[in-house]
Amino acid sequence: MKLLIGNRNYSTWSLRPWLVLAHFGIPFEDEVLMLSGEGWRETLAARSPTGKVPVLIDGELVVPETIAIIEYLADRFPDKAIWPADIQQRAMARAVSAEMHSSFMGLRSHAPMNLRASHVGKVSPESVARDMHRLETLWGDLLAKSGGPFLFGEFTAADAMFAPVATRIRTYGLAVSDVATSYVEAIYSLPAFQQWLGLALHEPWIVDDDEIDVIQGRVARGVLA
């Protein structure tokens, strides 16, 4: 199998299925498609049905979209505990993953993932307050029930879905509870995440559209980020 991904430093949606593949020891290779530079949109359009990443290629099958890829992997490798074994926990894991997929727009708009950067104090707490409150409630409830260190005890796809949020908390120094801090540390301690992070830190590319200074400058000028 091959996973087409974007720049590791910025591409949140690429990180999620990559973590699932790497953590659960599923053999695959990856290929980075640039998210900036001359002709990058045309390259994506030629390689991806949606013109976006990630895309999983398994023989003749081409699967775009993060959650679809994760669900395919869960079906393809039922012996891997990609989702919780318990039916009720599995339903909750899928529910919170879907919430992550469709929500938390404040964090996405004001605090883009940037693994190489340290931008402590550059994000207004008010701009992400609603999302952070929801995260504290969601993570707190699940971790209290599971006992941690991950949302459902052991690492699952739900944790892969929230991994980019953990990076935002560190990059921007967002204030969180001790429970949330421990969860962020658990994500960072994951060997698969450390592998991704190490590769991201050595990438030379900069995507201006995902840099906080550029985004804030556009917001200040009244241009949508």
Side-chain angles (χ1 to χ4, degrees):
M1 290 192 293
K2 174 181 280 190
L3 186 69
L4 305 181
I5 61 175
N7 306 55
R8 288 183 174 88
N9 189 57
Y10 306 102
S11 185
T12 60
W13 294 108
S14 299
L15 169 59
R16 292 167 168 124
W18 193 98
L19 278 181
V20 171
L21 284 159
H23 175 78
F24 289 103
I26 299 171
F28 77 106
E29 60 183 53
D30 60 40
E31 180 181 348
V32 177
L33 301 181
M34 295 298 98
L35 299 179
S36 64
E38 184 177 355
W40 71 272
R41 287 187 175 86
E42 289 76 13
T43 299
L44 277 178
R47 300 293 302 280
S48 166
T50 61
K52 300 176 182 178
V53 285
V55 176
L56 182 73
I57 302 171
D58 188 11
E60 297 297 318
L61 180 66
V62 179
V63 185
E65 301 295 341
T66 293
I67 286 186
I69 292 170
I70 291 173
E71 291 288 11
Y72 173 71
L73 293 173
D75 287 341
R76 179 89 153 72
F77 300 95
D79 57 316
K80 309 289 186 181
I82 292 174
W83 293 111
D86 178 81
I87 188 171
Q88 294 186 4
Q89 289 192 342
R90 190 161 64 249
M92 287 306 304
R94 285 184 164 123
V96 299
S97 296
E99 181 179 354
M100 178 68 255
H101 190 278
S102 62
S103 305
F104 301 98
M105 295 305 178
L107 275 170
R108 294 182 190 184
S109 299
H110 297 283
M113 187 173 84
N114 191 330
L115 296 172
R116 294 195 302 259
S118 177
H119 291 315
V120 177
K122 285 194 175 183
V123 172
S124 165
E126 291 76 15
S127 66
V128 296
R130 182 175 180 178
D131 285 351
M132 296 306 297
H133 176 73
R134 175 56 185 152
L135 277 176
E136 289 281 9
T137 302
L138 187 154
W139 288 358
D141 288 349
L142 292 176
L143 291 167
K145 291 175 182 177
S146 71
F150 296 105
L151 297 178
F152 296 90
E154 299 297 323
F155 180 87
T156 69
D159 300 293
M161 290 298 294
F162 281 96
V165 176
T167 75
R168 289 169 159 104
I169 289 171
R170 281 209 176 177
T171 296
Y172 301 99
L174 302 177
V176 294
S177 66
D178 290 345
V179 171
T181 297
S182 294
Y183 180 63
V184 171
E185 290 174 353
I187 294 293
Y188 269 79
S189 297
L190 198 73
F193 180 84
Q194 281 294 311
Q195 184 181 354
W196 175 281
L197 178 62
L199 293 168
L201 294 178
H202 288 89
E203 285 184 341
W205 311 290
I206 295 176
V207 179
D208 287 339
D209 287 347
D210 288 326
E211 290 289 335
I212 187 66
D213 293 333
V214 174
I215 291 172
Q216 290 180 340
R218 289 177 176 172
V219 171
R221 296 194 305 273
V223 179
L224 290 177

